[in-house]
Amino acid sequence: LHQLLYSWLYNFKYNSFEDLIKSFHGKGLVISVGNHHFNFARSTIDNLRNIIKSDIPIEIFYYGDNDLSEDKRNILSKYDNVYLSDLSTYFNNSQLRLEGFALKPFSILASRFEEVILIDADTVYLRDPMTLFNDTGYIKKGTLFFQDRHFETSPFDSYKWLKTWINNPLPDTTKLRIWNEKTIDQMESSTVVINKSKGILGLLAACKLNEEKYKSIVYKHVYGDKETFWIGYEIARQPFYFNPLRPAIISKVESVNSETTRFCGHIGHKSEDGKFMYWNGHLLLDKNSNNPKLIDF
């Protein structure tokens, strides 16, 4: 049954489930990087190594030679304790057709680390991410997920869709804001912490949701990979843990017109001790702008 569900996992790099389990050990950071994200990733690693002085092992995943050029790989490989891995050599992509958001859960699965902190290339840390492994909820349940900002309106019908097929939800699911119809988006996935030995079935289910034939359905109801992590654990009936602290916003109050102001910017998060940990979006006000400007602190 397992080989039928995850046929892309076998007879490529791994010949058995045992091969997969034996392939990972230790703790480390994982970043999925393509040419477009290279400058962000390089800056993020510079920050970790030279500003906050973290020596956390880092594994960079890319998808084939065209995804991350050889010269860029050579630059990243010069950092201490940084490994580069080609995700296209791990699984049978004729079945998966991996790209974009879908690369993230598969990078966790393929990683050499047993305990993984997956971060986006443009995530800026103010403290050593290794401290996330000490979170009490993570130690108990093997995951540490972070909440997204509150959205009441969206092009997605997330909670309505979820309730059409999730029966007898886990206690962890019933506590979620999205399940209680208080927000459209529950999870923000610029940082995802997973102990694979504790929750491998949940991770595999999350990967399943990001297969080509399933993500074409899933992504119509939720935004990209974000919700697929906790949904995967719900499907596998494995408990999961969300940091209970609501996200922070890195921004300034802007005037829209004479009657309206807005507060919209990068999303950030605190660790369980209440100290600010990281934000997503790097140092640019708008990373997608043709004329990007730095955040004015």
Side-chain angles (χ1 to χ4, degrees):
L1 177 60
H2 194 273
Q3 292 196 17
L4 287 174
L5 283 172
Y6 307 108
S7 57
W8 43 263
L9 179 62
Y10 296 99
N11 303 317
F12 208 71
K13 186 178 180 67
Y14 311 106
N15 292 317
S16 67
F17 188 64
E18 183 180 12
D19 286 347
L20 173 66
I21 299 300
K22 288 182 176 180
S23 70
F24 49 74
H25 59 275
K27 302 176 180 180
L29 193 79
V30 167
I31 314 175
S32 179
V33 181
N35 289 317
H36 180 69
H37 305 103
F38 168 76
N39 288 332
F40 289 131
R42 184 180 184 181
S43 177
T44 293
I45 298 172
D46 270 333
N47 173 56
L48 290 170
R49 290 290 186 259
N50 302 316
I51 304 300
I52 64 176
K53 305 297 183 181
S54 172
D55 60 358
I56 186 171
I58 299 172
E59 187 168 16
I60 302 294
F61 276 97
Y62 61 96
Y63 204 86
D65 293 341
N66 293 330
D67 187 37
L68 186 64
S69 64
E70 184 177 4
D71 62 317
K72 291 180 171 62
R73 279 179 266 151
N74 289 337
I75 291 172
L76 295 176
S77 67
K78 292 179 181 178
Y79 288 96
D80 290 338
N81 213 10
V82 170
Y83 309 91
L84 280 91
S85 301
D86 182 355
L87 191 60
S88 70
T89 66
Y90 282 76
F91 311 114
N92 187 345
N93 196 44
S94 64
Q95 300 176 43
L96 297 175
R97 299 178 186 176
L98 293 178
E99 62 179 3
F101 294 131
L103 294 169
K104 292 169 65 175
F106 285 93
S107 294
I108 299 176
L109 184 63
S111 173
R112 68 191 63 212
F113 307 124
E114 176 185 6
E115 298 184 61
V116 175
I117 301 172
L118 172 78
I119 70 170
D120 285 351
D122 59 347
T123 302
V124 179
Y125 268 80
L126 300 181
R127 296 192 291 138
D128 191 342
M130 278 290 286
T131 61
L132 294 176
F133 290 125
N134 299 325
D135 185 280
T136 53
Y138 168 77
I139 292 171
K140 180 179 179 180
K141 294 190 175 180
T143 67
L144 178 58
F145 300 149
F146 291 89
Q147 299 183 55
D148 204 344
R149 67 191 84 196
H150 182 87
F151 288 109
E152 293 183 354
T153 59
S154 167
F156 302 102
D157 62 346
S158 55
Y159 56 73
K160 293 180 181 179
W161 171 67
L162 291 167
K163 289 187 174 182
T164 64
W165 61 271
I166 294 181
N167 299 310
N168 187 28
L170 293 171
D172 294 324
T173 298
T174 63
K175 298 174 185 177
L176 299 180
R177 292 180 301 124
I178 193 171
W179 186 259
N180 291 287
E181 303 182 10
K182 294 180 179 179
T183 184
I184 298 295
D185 298 324
Q186 173 66 38
M187 182 168 172
E188 193 270 316
S189 64
S190 64
T191 290
V192 178
V193 191
I194 288 179
N195 183 327
K196 293 193 287 189
S197 290
K198 279 192 174 182
I200 190 66
L201 297 181
L203 176 58
L204 282 167
C207 289
K208 190 74 178 176
L209 293 171
N210 285 275
E211 287 183 24
E212 176 66 22
K213 65 179 179 180
Y214 292 111
K215 75 177 183 181
S216 62
I217 299 171
V218 174
Y219 287 16
K220 291 179 181 178
H221 302 281
V222 298
Y223 184 74
D225 65 292
K226 296 192 302 179
E227 312 297 347
T228 63
F229 289 99
W230 72 263
I231 294 174
Y233 279 73
E234 165 64 45
I235 290 173
R237 308 302 290 173
Q238 292 198 297
F240 56 88
Y241 177 74
F242 268 89
N243 180 318
L245 301 177
R246 296 292 293 274
I249 302 296
I250 311 299
S251 182
K252 61 182 179 180
V253 177
E254 299 177 339
S255 177
V256 177
N257 53 48
S258 60
E259 298 180 351
T260 306
T261 58
R262 68 179 181 182
F263 188 67
C264 183
H266 300 328
I267 190 169
H269 290 281
K270 300 175 182 178
S271 53
E272 67 174 337
D273 59 8
K275 294 181 179 179
F276 199 83
M277 192 74 185
Y278 71 90
W279 78 82
N280 180 234
H282 215 261
L283 298 174
L284 304 178
L285 281 173
D286 181 359
K287 65 182 180 181
N288 297 314
S289 171
N290 292 326
N291 185 28
K293 298 179 180 179
L294 293 175
I295 297 173
D296 183 3
F297 291 99

